[in-house]
Amino acid sequence: MLTTLAFSFAAAAGLAFIPESCAKPRAPLHSRFFSALAVHAAAVAFICLAAFMLTGRVRFSAFVSLALVGLLAGVSNAKYASLREPFVFTDLSLFSQLFAHPRLYLPFLSASTVVAIVVGIAAVVAAFMAEKPQSERPVFALVAALLACLGAAYAFAARLPLTLDPSNDQRRHGFFAVFVAYLLNGMTPATAARLRNALSASPFAHGAPRSSPDVIVIQSESFFDARRLAASIDPSILRNFDIARRESVQHGNLTVPAWGANTMRTEFAVLTGIDETQLGYARFYPYAFVRSACASLAAWFKRGGYRTQVIHPYYADFFGRERAFRHLQFDRFVDIAAFADAPRAGSYVSDQAVADAIIAALDEPRDKPTFLFSITMENHGPLHLEHVVAGEGARFHALGDDARWRDLTAYLRHLANADAMLGRLLDALRARLRDTVLCFYGDHVPALPHVFADLNYEAANSDYFIWRNYGDAPTMRNDLRAEELGLALVAAIGSAVQRETPARALHPTP
């Protein structure tokens, strides 16, 4: 029996390269490192052994391993097509969100992918029914083999030369080997320890504000100056944004560690001042590894006597924000429950409703200055599910009503609403007697790869500005990285961070 198992599972490891080779970006088999091939083989063998221990079916267990590799490759391709990033190990931790918030994930699966998944599930069930289980299983030998495969996978994963750029690593080593290596290397205590060390060196780990204006930071969903795409886009679509930039202390492009999604990466960089290269494997989903009170922009303001709060018109548990923000030392989280009667724009709470909530929070009776971090939701995709009527595009661009511009029209509609929100806020803040600072930025560009390709534009950076209703200062254009924005905000309110450790480089080498 052991010989049969060994032969069957070795064959499965070899055959698994067939569905795995479909994953994009592709890696030629002949160019892969031996350690990558070993990780692949050990991981497939482990899956086969685990399935056999549970079911006693040899051929079924081999088929399950092939189906699982194929499933992961198909899901990875769907993600790569929309977000330019393969499926990575931390995406597994978001699996529960698929069922809680299906609209955010399922529409990105193509019809062919869904059909393939359904057919695969049916084939797995049929394979299970077609094979009778073995009456006897050598349990101790199987456990030993499982441990050997796991140990080999860990050993070779640790030796695999990885850059933590998923696309580049996959081009060198193949999808499944990289996925498994990230999983095994990332889910060790070293990942959380590295994150803790990085947070201890955050520029906000020490010090406190020297002045006390109210401070508002708005992370605008998928915001960037889309007029860079084409001259045919109506320049007045961001009229209030232009006014804010002219009146701002500082503005410019913002280099963000996300494209099309993964908002929490930009969010974490802004709130902690930490470059993603310092986070190791935690860079893909930092909130998953935040488990205790830590340094952040909110903590820095809190040491200065501020009340800190978050306004986000979505569910507080999404991305694990409620738990993570508590550790980032926000006092209060206002989520979608407070927006039950708020107007919607498309499928989500409108940006205007968020503006109203911010103004209401500023007007609340209090004896402390406030640091308010708001995350908008209106412009969250999938944009291809948005309803666009004939002729609507003419309000925003001169590209016509062709179907390929439909998603762009939906996006620009929400972008115009974000601009209207800015106008509402700026009017209210100009009328305030209390000193107030507004920092506004986009978390990433929208997931519109086909639009960018059709317009021959490589969109990557978002935009930001820092505005205040007091003091005279010349407007400065200064392009920043996301982790530098908090420091710029601190400087704009007339304070500086105090470091108890040597200053780190802003752009360390990976």
Side-chain angles (χ1 to χ4, degrees):
M1 176 186 287
L2 292 178
T3 302
T4 301
L5 288 176
F7 177 79
S8 299
F9 296 165
L15 291 172
F17 283 111
I18 297 175
E20 192 264 359
S21 66
C22 297
K24 300 175 182 178
R26 295 187 173 96
L29 192 60
H30 64 82
S31 66
R32 302 187 190 185
F33 284 56
F34 173 77
S35 52
L37 300 176
V39 169
H40 173 103
V44 172
F46 180 89
I47 296 168
C48 290
L49 288 164
F52 179 72
M53 284 193 67
L54 290 173
T55 67
R57 292 165 168 85
V58 178
R59 291 186 295 276
F60 169 78
S61 300
F63 184 76
V64 162
S65 67
L66 299 179
L68 180 58
V69 173
L71 172 63
L72 291 174
V75 171
S76 182
N77 280 349
K79 181 186 176 187
Y80 187 75
S82 297
L83 306 179
R84 299 182 178 180
E85 180 181 278
F87 194 71
V88 294
F89 79 105
T90 50
D91 293 327
L92 293 173
S93 64
L94 297 173
F95 187 70
S96 63
Q97 306 283 3
L98 175 66
F99 301 100
H101 312 284
R103 191 181 190 279
L104 299 183
Y105 297 98
L106 288 181
F108 291 107
L109 295 177
S110 66
S112 59
T113 301
V114 173
V115 169
I117 290 173
V118 172
V119 170
I121 292 173
V124 167
V125 172
F128 180 86
M129 300 297 293
E131 185 180 4
K132 294 182 179 180
Q134 298 283 339
S135 57
E136 295 182 3
R137 277 168 265 177
V139 176
F140 291 109
L142 289 174
V143 170
L146 273 172
L147 294 175
C149 288
L150 185 60
Y154 266 110
F156 284 109
R159 295 175 57 188
L160 197 61
L162 298 168
T163 65
L164 298 192
D165 179 320
S167 295
N168 286 341
D169 285 337
Q170 185 167 313
R171 287 188 185 96
R172 297 174 68 199
H173 309 303
F175 163 69
F176 192 58
V178 169
F179 177 82
V180 172
Y182 277 22
L183 175 64
L184 297 180
N185 294 339
M187 295 305 292
T188 63
T191 298
R194 180 165 181 173
L195 179 63
R196 286 194 299 272
N197 290 338
L199 287 167
S200 68
S202 164
F204 309 119
H206 308 286
R210 293 199 299 263
S211 57
S212 56
D214 286 337
V215 178
I216 307 159
V217 176
I218 297 177
Q219 180 175 270
S220 183
E221 174 61 42
S222 298
F223 183 96
F224 88 114
D225 190 343
R227 296 172 298 184
R228 296 197 289 267
L229 288 172
S232 53
I233 294 177
D234 184 358
S236 68
I237 195 172
L238 292 178
R239 182 180 65 86
N240 293 303
F241 178 68
D242 288 339
I243 293 171
R245 288 194 299 185
R246 288 197 298 270
E247 296 178 355
S248 68
V249 177
Q250 185 171 315
H251 69 89
N253 290 343
L254 190 68
T255 299
V256 295
W259 195 97
N262 291 309
T263 296
M264 72 285 193
R265 298 180 189 176
T266 301
E267 192 171 284
F268 190 78
V270 170
L271 289 174
T272 63
I274 299 173
D275 186 287
E276 67 171 350
T277 59
Q278 296 180 291
L279 301 179
Y281 289 94
R283 72 181 64 190
F284 301 113
Y285 183 14
Y287 290 159
F289 301 94
V290 174
R291 297 294 176 179
S292 59
C294 58
S296 71
L297 194 56
W300 188 81
F301 278 107
K302 195 170 181 177
R303 286 194 296 271
Y306 276 70
R307 180 184 67 170
T308 59
Q309 65 175 313
V310 177
I311 294 179
H312 178 42
Y314 205 59
Y315 300 92
D317 62 347
F318 190 64
F319 283 154
R321 277 192 176 106
E322 187 171 33
R323 171 189 50 77
F325 279 12
R326 190 164 56 249
H327 295 319
L328 291 173
Q329 301 186 53
F330 282 98
D331 299 320
R332 181 185 180 197
F333 196 129
V334 177
D335 76 343
I336 196 169
F339 292 87
D341 301 319
R344 263 59 176 171
S347 297
Y348 307 106
V349 173
S350 72
D351 284 355
Q352 285 286 4
V354 176
D356 292 340
I358 291 172
I359 293 168
L362 293 174
D363 290 342
E364 289 177 354
R366 52 193 165 88
D367 57 2
K368 293 181 177 182
T370 192
F371 171 65
L372 192 157
F373 183 63
S374 181
I375 309 158
T376 71
M377 195 67 189
E378 176 182 330
N379 213 353
H380 200 294
L383 291 166
H384 65 273
L385 296 185
E386 294 273 352
H387 179 65
V388 176
V389 300
E392 183 180 0
R395 294 174 51 197
F396 310 112
H397 59 77
L399 295 169
D401 261 353
D402 191 283
R404 61 180 174 157
W405 309 123
R406 185 179 177 280
D407 294 357
L408 176 63
T409 296
Y411 172 73
L412 294 177
R413 177 206 302 151
H414 294 304
L415 195 67
N417 289 344
D419 188 71
M421 174 190 72
L422 275 178
R424 166 96 169 93
L425 273 175
L426 291 172
D427 287 344
L429 298 183
R430 289 188 190 100
R432 294 195 85 210
L433 298 178
R434 180 168 176 76
D435 290 351
T436 308
V437 178
L438 170 64
C439 175
F440 179 94
Y441 70 94
D443 55 351
H444 51 69
V445 300
L448 295 173
H450 61 288
V451 172
F452 299 143
D454 287 342
L455 294 174
N456 194 29
Y457 187 85
E458 185 65 27
N461 299 330
S462 65
D463 297 84
Y464 83 95
F465 67 77
I466 301 172
W467 178 97
R468 63 191 189 194
N469 67 354
Y470 64 94
D472 293 321
T475 298
M476 178 175 62
R477 167 66 187 257
N478 189 15
D479 296 340
L480 298 176
R481 296 176 62 86
E483 66 271 15
E484 298 169 333
L485 184 57
L487 290 172
L489 173 62
V490 166
I493 68 172
S495 294
V497 297
Q498 301 171 9
R499 300 179 185 270
E500 294 185 7
T501 56
R504 62 174 176 83
L506 282 173
H507 312 298
T509 301

PDB file of all heavy atoms in Angstrom, residues 12 58 136 156 210 360 377 424 442 495:
ATOM      1  N   ALA A  12       0.633  12.963  -8.452  1.00  0.00           N
ATOM      2  CA  ALA A  12      -0.216  14.133  -8.215  1.00  0.00           C
ATOM      3  C   ALA A  12       0.625  15.404  -8.124  1.00  0.00           C
ATOM      4  O   ALA A  12       0.241  16.459  -8.658  1.00  0.00           O
ATOM      5  CB  ALA A  12      -1.014  13.947  -6.922  1.00  0.00           C
ATOM      6  N   VAL A  58      -7.430   6.710  -2.187  1.00  0.00           N
ATOM      7  CA  VAL A  58      -6.136   7.099  -2.753  1.00  0.00           C
ATOM      8  C   VAL A  58      -6.308   8.028  -3.948  1.00  0.00           C
ATOM      9  O   VAL A  58      -5.774   9.146  -3.977  1.00  0.00           O
ATOM     10  CB  VAL A  58      -5.332   5.848  -3.187  1.00  0.00           C
ATOM     11  CG1 VAL A  58      -4.004   6.260  -3.811  1.00  0.00           C
ATOM     12  CG2 VAL A  58      -5.102   4.931  -2.004  1.00  0.00           C
ATOM     13  N   GLU A 136      -7.951  -0.575   5.562  1.00  0.00           N
ATOM     14  CA  GLU A 136      -6.901  -0.357   6.555  1.00  0.00           C
ATOM     15  C   GLU A 136      -6.020   0.813   6.119  1.00  0.00           C
ATOM     16  O   GLU A 136      -5.728   0.979   4.932  1.00  0.00           O
ATOM     17  CB  GLU A 136      -6.044  -1.620   6.712  1.00  0.00           C
ATOM     18  CG  GLU A 136      -6.789  -2.811   7.280  1.00  0.00           C
ATOM     19  CD  GLU A 136      -5.876  -4.000   7.460  1.00  0.00           C
ATOM     20  OE1 GLU A 136      -4.664  -3.863   7.195  1.00  0.00           O
ATOM     21  OE2 GLU A 136      -6.381  -5.077   7.862  1.00  0.00           O
ATOM     22  N   PHE A 156      12.414  24.181   2.940  1.00  0.00           N
ATOM     23  CA  PHE A 156      12.675  24.725   1.604  1.00  0.00           C
ATOM     24  C   PHE A 156      12.043  26.109   1.424  1.00  0.00           C
ATOM     25  O   PHE A 156      12.585  26.946   0.701  1.00  0.00           O
ATOM     26  CB  PHE A 156      12.178  23.757   0.535  1.00  0.00           C
ATOM     27  CG  PHE A 156      13.073  22.561   0.354  1.00  0.00           C
ATOM     28  CD1 PHE A 156      12.670  21.300   0.766  1.00  0.00           C
ATOM     29  CD2 PHE A 156      14.344  22.708  -0.204  1.00  0.00           C
ATOM     30  CE1 PHE A 156      13.502  20.201   0.601  1.00  0.00           C
ATOM     31  CE2 PHE A 156      15.181  21.612  -0.367  1.00  0.00           C
ATOM     32  CZ  PHE A 156      14.767  20.354   0.046  1.00  0.00           C
ATOM     33  N   ARG A 210       2.005  70.113  20.092  1.00  0.00           N
ATOM     34  CA  ARG A 210       2.291  71.336  20.854  1.00  0.00           C
ATOM     35  C   ARG A 210       1.177  72.361  20.705  1.00  0.00           C
ATOM     36  O   ARG A 210       1.182  73.382  21.390  1.00  0.00           O
ATOM     37  CB  ARG A 210       3.616  71.942  20.384  1.00  0.00           C
ATOM     38  CG  ARG A 210       4.835  71.093  20.708  1.00  0.00           C
ATOM     39  CD  ARG A 210       6.101  71.927  20.657  1.00  0.00           C
ATOM     40  NE  ARG A 210       6.333  72.494  19.348  1.00  0.00           N
ATOM     41  CZ  ARG A 210       7.146  71.963  18.426  1.00  0.00           C
ATOM     42  NH1 ARG A 210       7.781  70.834  18.699  1.00  0.00           N
ATOM     43  NH2 ARG A 210       7.316  72.542  17.258  1.00  0.00           N
ATOM     44  N   ALA A 360     -21.254  67.080  12.182  1.00  0.00           N
ATOM     45  CA  ALA A 360     -21.994  66.846  13.428  1.00  0.00           C
ATOM     46  C   ALA A 360     -21.052  66.461  14.558  1.00  0.00           C
ATOM     47  O   ALA A 360     -21.220  66.898  15.706  1.00  0.00           O
ATOM     48  CB  ALA A 360     -23.043  65.750  13.212  1.00  0.00           C
ATOM     49  N   MET A 377     -16.860  55.389   1.612  1.00  0.00           N
ATOM     50  CA  MET A 377     -17.205  54.091   1.031  1.00  0.00           C
ATOM     51  C   MET A 377     -17.889  54.219  -0.328  1.00  0.00           C
ATOM     52  O   MET A 377     -17.919  53.255  -1.103  1.00  0.00           O
ATOM     53  CB  MET A 377     -18.118  53.339   2.003  1.00  0.00           C
ATOM     54  CG  MET A 377     -18.271  51.866   1.730  1.00  0.00           C
ATOM     55  SD  MET A 377     -16.744  50.957   2.000  1.00  0.00           S
ATOM     56  CE  MET A 377     -17.214  49.357   1.327  1.00  0.00           C
ATOM     57  N   ARG A 424     -18.713  70.956   0.569  1.00  0.00           N
ATOM     58  CA  ARG A 424     -19.546  71.074   1.781  1.00  0.00           C
ATOM     59  C   ARG A 424     -18.680  71.225   3.021  1.00  0.00           C
ATOM     60  O   ARG A 424     -18.937  72.077   3.884  1.00  0.00           O
ATOM     61  CB  ARG A 424     -20.417  69.815   1.877  1.00  0.00           C
ATOM     62  CG  ARG A 424     -21.093  69.604   3.230  1.00  0.00           C
ATOM     63  CD  ARG A 424     -22.498  70.124   3.225  1.00  0.00           C
ATOM     64  NE  ARG A 424     -23.220  69.698   4.399  1.00  0.00           N
ATOM     65  CZ  ARG A 424     -23.321  70.398   5.536  1.00  0.00           C
ATOM     66  NH1 ARG A 424     -22.718  71.566   5.654  1.00  0.00           N
ATOM     67  NH2 ARG A 424     -24.032  69.945   6.544  1.00  0.00           N
ATOM     68  N   GLY A 442      -6.462  59.929  -1.264  1.00  0.00           N
ATOM     69  CA  GLY A 442      -7.050  58.727  -1.833  1.00  0.00           C
ATOM     70  C   GLY A 442      -6.282  57.498  -1.408  1.00  0.00           C
ATOM     71  O   GLY A 442      -5.051  57.510  -1.350  1.00  0.00           O
ATOM     72  N   SER A 495       3.645  71.315  14.801  1.00  0.00           N
ATOM     73  CA  SER A 495       4.300  70.448  15.771  1.00  0.00           C
ATOM     74  C   SER A 495       5.375  69.634  15.062  1.00  0.00           C
ATOM     75  O   SER A 495       5.547  69.717  13.848  1.00  0.00           O
ATOM     76  CB  SER A 495       3.290  69.516  16.438  1.00  0.00           C
ATOM     77  OG  SER A 495       2.367  70.234  17.237  1.00  0.00           O
TER      78      SER A 495
END
